Amino acid sequence: MKLSVPGRVTPAAIITAVTLLTTGAISGAAPAPTIAAPTAAAAAPDIPVANVKGHLAQLQSIATANGGNRAHGRTGYKASVDYVKAKLDAAGFTTVLQQFTSSGRTGYNLIADWPGGDTGHVVMAGSHLDSVTAGPGINDNGSGSAAVLETALAVSRAQYQPTRHLRFAWWGAEELGMVGSKYYVNSLSSANRAKISDYLNFDMIGSPNPGYFVYDDDPTIEKTFKDYFAGLGIATEPETEGDGRSDHSPFKNVGIPVGGLFSGADYIKTAAQAAKWGGTSGQAFDRCYHASCDTSSNINDTALNRNADALAYAVWGLSS
């Protein structure tokens, strides 16, 4: 998530037609008794947090081998893109590496389409893959990037055939002002923008002192995420800390419905929030925000796991 800039002007039902009986996917399995969630919750797979953390370990190794970061225009960023692209290509996605220039350096967006579905109605999930130059950026935003990648790989493993078309994206140069996502949105024709039904953004979802924040931009997307967390008995709050500071903003600015998840950055957790979510009041959600200590040890596994599963829940539910 990029730094806020003083004076910067920022812009101001779930489909559950999924029939598991034909697949036998839940044969003999009883739902958790306290979860009253839409049918799509059962359709979405559990995202193994160990797999997500495996991707984070790879991103950490890439940063370590490339000057300690994965920043725009640096070798660590391109190596990160290459790692994600290789996984998606092997899983059967159609990938496109979109190139742009910012601050005199070459940047890349990675776009991955899953074959099939109605391309007139695209459900898109994205995250920024770059770090700041100060550190490896494992929470900001390896966490979102790894969870989006593992959800895409889960689509492939399930050979999921959604009603709507699925697209995944990893953005470059977010830390310089959402440069990559702006470039992508600006490159779309009006007709192609209109085909994107939902854009879901995941920027920092494994904060070590986590909160559970849901973007409140689009009511349908917001309800999808809130339903998931309600099923777990977790209260959420509207996401305000990062409003206008991440890659949903270019989509929102052209009228595309947006939503997403966030576990907190440099704001301070209140006593009420600590009582609700655990953790430590009086401390930042992420004390290593934009710092060299944002390493693979700067992750709360429980928050990462819950948010990755919520991501998959929304992808399956909104595309089914």
Side-chain angles (χ1 to χ4, degrees), residues 82-290:
D82 291 344
Y83 169 77
V84 175
K85 186 177 186 299
K87 293 287 187 183
L88 296 164
D89 288 341
F93 284 83
T94 300
T95 60
V96 173
L97 202 58
Q98 187 180 53
Q99 185 172 316
F100 60 89
T101 301
S102 181
S103 301
R105 295 175 179 264
T106 300
Y108 302 92
N109 294 325
L110 176 62
I111 312 299
D113 284 83
W114 181 242
D118 179 3
T119 55
H121 294 87
V122 177
V123 174
M124 190 170 185
S127 57
H128 77 86
L129 189 55
D130 63 315
S131 73
V132 293
T133 56
I138 299 305
N139 186 40
D140 184 17
N141 180 39
S143 60
S145 293
V148 172
L149 173 57
E150 189 57 31
T151 298
L153 297 179
V155 166
S156 175
R157 287 192 297 267
Q159 287 298 292
Y160 179 41
Q161 297 181 0
T163 301
R164 296 184 172 190
H165 184 74
L166 284 179
R167 181 174 299 151
F168 299 89
W170 291 262
W171 308 116
E174 186 270 355
E175 298 292 2
L176 302 183
M178 296 87 71
V179 177
S181 54
K182 285 178 182 176
Y183 184 87
Y184 174 79
V185 171
N186 290 340
S187 74
L188 296 174
S189 66
S190 296
N192 283 331
R193 289 177 184 175
K195 292 175 182 178
I196 302 175
S197 303
D198 311 271
Y199 174 72
L200 313 177
N201 195 59
F202 303 92
D203 189 354
M204 302 180 65
I205 60 170
S207 302
N209 188 29
Y212 293 90
F213 299 98
V214 174
Y215 294 15
D216 61 354
D217 298 279
D218 178 79
T220 300
I221 301 173
E222 180 187 17
K223 183 179 185 301
T224 302
F225 286 121
K226 290 177 73 173
D227 283 349
Y228 178 80
F229 284 107
L232 298 181
I234 297 171
T236 62
E237 291 184 8
E239 198 288 290
T240 57
E241 181 181 358
D243 194 29
R245 292 170 57 186
S246 193
D247 293 298
H248 60 292
S249 294
F251 291 85
K252 180 179 177 179
N253 289 347
V254 297
I256 295 169
V258 301
L261 301 175
F262 178 56
S263 57
D266 53 349
Y267 282 22
I268 302 301
K269 179 177 277 189
T270 66
Q273 289 170 329
K276 178 164 52 181
W277 295 323
T280 306
S281 64
Q283 287 187 6
F285 294 100
D286 184 356
R287 291 187 291 174
C288 291
Y289 176 64
H290 282 186

Side-chain angles (χ1 to χ4, degrees), residues 56 58-72 74-77 79-80 129-141 288 290-296:
L56 293 181
Q58 291 296 319
L59 295 177
Q60 175 68 68
S61 295
I62 287 169
T64 300
N66 290 276
N69 67 68
R70 302 179 301 99
H72 164 73
R74 309 296 180 92
T75 55
Y77 181 74
S80 299
L129 189 55
D130 63 315
S131 73
V132 293
T133 56
I138 299 305
N139 186 40
D140 184 17
N141 180 39
C288 291
H290 282 186
S292 60
C293 57
D294 187 10
T295 65
S296 53

Side-chain angles (χ1 to χ4, degrees), residues 35 37-45 228 313:
I35 297 179
T39 306
Y228 178 80
Y313 175 89

